[in-house]
Amino acid sequence: MLTAPTVGAMFRDQVTFRRVTAGVLLIVAPLLQALAVVVDPGTWGDEREAVSFGANPVLAQIQSVLYHWSWMLMAVAVLGLVHLTRRAATRLGHVAGALTVLGYLQLSGLLLTDPVEWWLGRHHPPEEAQRIMDEMLGLPGVMFGFQLPWMFFGFLGLPVLTAAVWRAGFVGWWAPAVVAAGYLGSFAVSYGPATVPFWAAPVAALGWIGWKVLRMGDEAWAAYYPAARVSPERESSRR
């Protein structure tokens, strides 16, 4: 029977803290993203955010906050997935993990355009607001410094990283398949009601991995750390 560590004990123990943090965030981060697409006025209303955000500015702000924290927390949760590839698929885990972290951090930064688009929609006709927004985001420094190709690394890298965790033997093949079907499949549809089931699917797969991490215990988590590589002779010569 599992016993939950106290908060104080968790912060004192590096193994417990990292394991619990990884497990909880793998559950929470994708769930926040799924909630964000549900409350987003642009999901159900006018695809022009200058219009849909203006129709319901409260929900527009809530969805921005949910997306922001989902993507920030996912960048941290990814480190837990990389930890699970220490024994196998290590190179794949490192490359996919680094790209995924960069992608999710980049996605979060783009959310600052949401209040700008809302303001433009309140002060200009929809077509003019869209024209101004496109001109702003079309600047080379904005496009290549903040958008392309970095903004896609998160959604592309996470399925690959989950596949590395499967190759490492921690989870079944279905987990990376569901993550890939959810996030990559969403590119095949326009952002709207059809996006909801796609972004809800990875909640189950990543949440299952997070639940396994929470249940595995500190010894199993610590077993992934490499043993000390200093030979006894070398260690004795240091004394």
Side-chain angles (χ1 to χ4, degrees):
M1 183 177 180
L2 297 176
T3 58
T6 64
V7 175
M10 187 179 73
F11 275 93
R12 287 193 299 269
D13 192 309
Q14 58 148 330
V15 176
T16 303
F17 179 80
R18 295 175 186 181
R19 178 181 62 83
V20 173
T21 299
V24 170
L25 294 187
L26 284 170
I27 296 171
V28 172
L31 180 59
L32 291 180
Q33 178 176 296
L35 292 175
V37 72
V38 171
V39 304
D40 187 352
T43 301
W44 315 101
D46 197 304
E47 64 180 6
R48 297 169 299 180
E49 292 182 339
V51 176
S52 58
F53 284 6
N56 200 325
V58 174
L59 287 182
Q61 294 175 69
I62 293 175
Q63 65 86 27
S64 291
V65 171
L66 289 173
Y67 274 134
H68 167 72
W69 283 106
S70 167
W71 294 337
M72 291 290 288
L73 295 179
M74 182 59 76
V76 180
V78 163
L79 301 179
L81 293 176
V82 172
H83 174 78
L84 299 174
T85 66
R86 287 177 180 267
R87 295 174 177 172
T90 305
R91 293 180 181 177
L92 180 61
H94 284 165
V95 173
L99 293 178
T100 304
V101 169
L102 288 175
Y104 275 105
L105 292 178
Q106 192 64 53
L107 282 170
S108 178
L110 293 175
L111 291 170
L112 285 177
T113 63
D114 285 0
V116 175
E117 197 153 16
W118 172 82
W119 188 91
L120 290 174
R122 294 294 297 270
H123 294 82
H124 298 278
E127 294 75 14
E128 180 65 8
Q130 190 64 53
R131 185 195 66 79
I132 296 173
M133 198 68 188
D134 291 343
E135 186 175 341
M136 292 169 57
L137 296 180
L139 293 172
V142 176
M143 181 176 293
F144 298 106
F146 294 88
Q147 298 182 67
L148 301 176
W150 329 109
M151 61 183 292
F152 297 107
F153 283 178
F155 290 149
L156 296 176
L158 189 56
V160 178
L161 178 57
T162 311
V165 175
W166 161 59
R167 290 289 303 276
F170 186 79
V171 73
W173 62 268
W174 66 271
V178 170
V179 173
Y183 289 145
L184 300 184
S186 66
F187 291 122
V189 299
S190 298
Y191 184 83
T195 309
V196 175
F198 280 107
W199 283 5
V203 175
L206 295 172
W208 173 249
I209 297 176
W211 179 244
K212 286 194 66 176
V213 168
L214 292 175
R215 288 180 57 87
M216 69 189 298
D218 287 347
E219 289 187 7
W221 178 268
Y224 281 86
Y225 291 112
R229 296 175 181 174
V230 180
S231 64
E233 293 80 6
R234 185 176 301 178
E235 179 67 24
S236 62
S237 66
R238 292 180 180 178
R239 298 174 180 175

